[in-house]
Amino acid sequence: MEGSTGRVTRRRVRTRANLLDAAFSVFAAKGFGHVSIEEVCEAAGYSRGAFYSNFSSLDELFFALYRERADLIAEQVSGALALDGPGLDVPAAVDRVTDVLLLDRDWLLVKTDFLVHAARDPDVARSLLEHRARLRRAIADRLARARGHTALPAVLGDTDGAAHAVVAAYDGVTTQLLLDRDVEHARAWLKQLLTALLTDGSGTPDHRRN
């Protein structure tokens, strides 16, 4: 019985993962608002029953995708910031963060489509805001641990303000990336923005070198 249960559990995990992968591809190709559950099932090779045994709606499926990528970004940011120990060498930390940070244009297309959808549905918007807050908390927690060792610009207020500024910079740079498709420029520009935001300006890279 335990062996049978284990096989069912593994199969369910595999089915869920395949549905997520298929949905991501279809969302990126057609846009979140133009995709049906049937299209996701067809792309994954499953029935509607398989879909509903894992997700109640396309919204729930999207949030599962969002959690995966938000967790990945939070891990990338936390890991890069953790290397400095109790203090924080901001320019060096920014270099590490921007070198590893996920800048996936297909994901940005899906996320932007869903943002428009959420803007028209207050319940979905609340859920999306909660998910975005997780990334800000990861950044704010690391900045808080460095407080006392590393000063932040007073204009940002506290670590929560700094975290909001970091996420806003990421949002702005990724919006530009959607239009110009230049990932390397996006990384370089994000590095400049974050360094300028989190220091007094003395560590800001020289624009003339880019």
Side-chain angles (χ1 to χ4, degrees):
M1 180 65 72
E2 288 182 2
S4 176
T5 301
R7 285 193 297 273
V8 171
T9 301
R10 287 193 296 272
R11 185 166 62 247
R12 183 184 179 88
V13 169
R14 187 166 58 250
T15 298
R16 181 182 175 88
N18 289 341
L19 284 166
L20 287 169
D21 288 344
F24 178 76
S25 298
V26 178
F27 288 162
K30 300 188 65 174
F32 177 85
H34 302 284
V35 174
S36 67
I37 289 173
E38 288 77 11
E39 288 173 302
V40 172
C41 293
E42 181 179 353
Y46 292 122
S47 66
R48 286 173 61 92
F51 180 94
Y52 283 114
S53 69
N54 287 276
F55 305 103
S56 63
S57 64
L58 287 176
D59 285 356
E60 183 181 334
L61 185 152
F62 172 84
F63 280 124
L65 283 172
Y66 193 96
R67 276 193 300 273
E68 284 184 352
R69 282 154 181 79
D71 288 346
L72 173 60
I73 292 172
E75 288 171 8
Q76 290 171 333
V77 171
S78 296
L81 295 179
L83 295 178
D84 282 324
L88 188 63
D89 179 346
V90 171
V94 167
D95 282 350
R96 291 195 301 271
V97 168
T98 52
D99 283 344
V100 302
L101 195 60
L102 179 70
L103 289 174
D104 178 352
R105 190 172 178 276
D106 281 345
W107 168 241
L108 295 173
L109 284 169
V110 174
K111 188 177 74 168
T112 301
D113 280 335
F114 193 80
L115 179 63
V116 174
H117 167 63
R120 294 189 172 98
D121 187 323
D123 290 334
V124 178
R126 278 192 293 272
S127 295
L128 185 56
L129 286 170
E130 290 169 4
H131 281 80
R132 285 172 60 83
R134 295 180 64 198
L135 177 58
R136 289 199 305 271
R137 283 197 297 271
I139 298 169
D141 287 349
R142 180 61 187 95
L143 293 175
R145 291 199 299 275
R147 203 77 183 265
H149 299 273
T150 304
L152 292 172
V155 69
L156 295 177
D158 55 14
T159 54
D160 287 336
H164 273 82
V166 168
V167 174
Y170 176 78
D171 285 343
V173 168
T174 53
T175 297
Q176 182 66 26
L177 173 58
L178 281 173
L179 300 176
D180 65 22
R181 302 168 182 257
D182 189 341
V183 174
E184 292 310 309
H185 181 264
R187 288 195 190 281
W189 184 228
L190 184 60
K191 186 176 297 188
Q192 291 177 347
L193 283 176
L194 294 183
T195 302
L197 275 171
L198 298 176
T199 69
D200 60 5
S202 61
T204 305
D206 187 345
H207 283 269
R208 291 172 296 179
R209 288 181 292 177
N210 297 299

